[in-house]
Amino acid sequence: MSDLKGIITAMVTPFSEKDESLDVAAARNMASWLIEHGVHGLFIGGTNGEFHLLNDDEKELLTREVVDEVAGRVPVIAGAGCCGTTHTCELSRRLADAGADYISLVTPYYLVPKQPDLRKHYETIASSTDAKLILYNIPGQTGCKIEPETADALADVDNIVGIKDSSGDFDTQLAYIEISKHKDFGVFNGSDSLMLKAFKAGSAGSVAATSNVIPEIEVALYDAFVAGDLEKAQAERDKMDLLRMTLKKCVAPAVMKATLNLMGVPAGITRKPISMPDDNVMADVHTMLAEYGIPEA
């Protein structure tokens, strides 16, 4: 897991403003823009990537195109988690064949399997592919939590190599980190507000939606942390809150996409039923960019 650490952008998926179709050219451009601004990895087809609104063919195409654009510069994690085990096995193989370095597996959603069933779900997926798999815990969205005891058991599976925790429950992330101290199992923070706290506790990386917009700030945070300059790391962490508060004014990733568009990084629109920001929210976005000193295109 030595290649997967630091700031990993939970990249948004660009859709055409004309018909909501997948805009692969914009996705390729965005991937390179993020790498040029220092991020250490890309997480595509996740929550902020509107995976729930992408079909399997689009997920495979997105993965293939981004992997080709990245050309090995940073690791690419692709989201393959589905409600059903068989479906997830099939999609995991497709995305691995498309070149993803790691496959992320969000828990089943809407369904709420018991922990023994959840463990069997992941073990079955792992046995169906040689791909390196990362569990994804986000119970606020899925209704299904990966209990630390379940994660501990799954960490013994050879190709289950880590977990992304977006629960916002730091005690849960600490329990995962404790597992990582004894097993070859990476922990990746998925709650941007906890980024620095997670690094201090031992998380290997942070899968950060906010790094779509302010990659340089978050890379500076990580670099300062690694260098032992915790005062600078905290100063960079404090800069994140303006963006975090602005993003909450709409359903994700509407504000994110609108902001990127203003920055000259085409992100297109959200797919329905989620709408793009209205004029009042856009006024806040303009103000936010001015406060960050980010020029508009």
Side-chain angles (χ1 to χ4, degrees), residues 171-231:
D171 286 340
T172 294
Q173 190 165 158
L174 288 175
Y176 295 152
I177 290 170
E178 194 60 33
I179 297 167
S180 74
K181 294 177 181 178
H182 307 288
K183 300 182 180 182
D184 188 11
F185 187 72
V187 178
F188 301 91
N189 171 61
S191 300
D192 291 7
S193 62
L194 298 175
M195 184 183 294
L196 181 55
K197 192 174 181 181
F199 283 137
K200 289 178 180 178
S203 288
S206 194
V207 181
T210 48
S211 66
N212 279 280
V213 172
I214 51 171
E216 292 154 312
I217 289 173
E218 296 180 15
V219 169
L221 181 159
Y222 179 71
D223 288 345
F225 167 75
V226 171
D229 188 346
L230 297 184
E231 184 176 349

Side-chain angles (χ1 to χ4, degrees), residues 35-198:
I35 294 169
E36 289 161 6
H37 284 75
V39 303
H40 307 105
L42 298 176
F43 183 114
I44 59 173
T47 303
N48 276 275
E50 296 171 88
F51 82 93
H52 42 285
L53 301 176
L54 292 166
N55 64 42
D56 288 0
D57 289 341
E58 290 173 321
K59 290 175 183 177
E60 181 180 356
L61 176 60
L62 176 66
T63 301
R64 198 173 298 280
E65 292 287 337
V66 169
V67 166
D68 182 68
E69 180 68 24
V70 169
R73 288 177 286 173
V74 298
V76 176
I77 309 168
C82 309
C83 281
T85 304
T86 299
H87 187 185
T88 307
C89 290
E90 294 169 350
L91 184 56
S92 296
R93 289 192 294 267
R94 288 181 68 175
L95 300 189
D97 289 345
D101 298 293
Y102 296 88
I103 302 297
S104 167
L105 301 172
V106 72
T107 61
Y109 39 95
Y110 189 78
L111 305 165
V112 186
K114 295 185 181 299
Q115 292 298 302
D117 290 336
L118 187 61
R119 178 176 170 179
K120 182 64 175 176
H121 169 75
Y122 282 124
E123 289 173 340
T124 301
I125 299 163
S127 68
S128 75
T129 177
D130 293 328
K132 292 177 284 188
L133 307 177
I134 297 175
L135 312 177
Y136 183 0
N137 183 55
I138 182 169
Q141 297 295 102
T142 64
C144 179
K145 179 181 178 180
I146 303 174
E147 294 290 350
E149 295 79 9
T150 301
D152 191 19
L154 291 170
D156 291 329
V157 178
D158 286 346
N159 59 329
I160 295 180
V161 298
I163 188 166
K164 176 192 174 190
D165 177 43
S166 297
S167 67
D169 176 3
F170 198 59
D171 286 340
T172 294
Q173 190 165 158
L174 288 175
Y176 295 152
I177 290 170
E178 194 60 33
I179 297 167
S180 74
K181 294 177 181 178
H182 307 288
K183 300 182 180 182
D184 188 11
F185 187 72
V187 178
F188 301 91
N189 171 61
S191 300
D192 291 7
S193 62
L194 298 175
M195 184 183 294
L196 181 55
K197 192 174 181 181

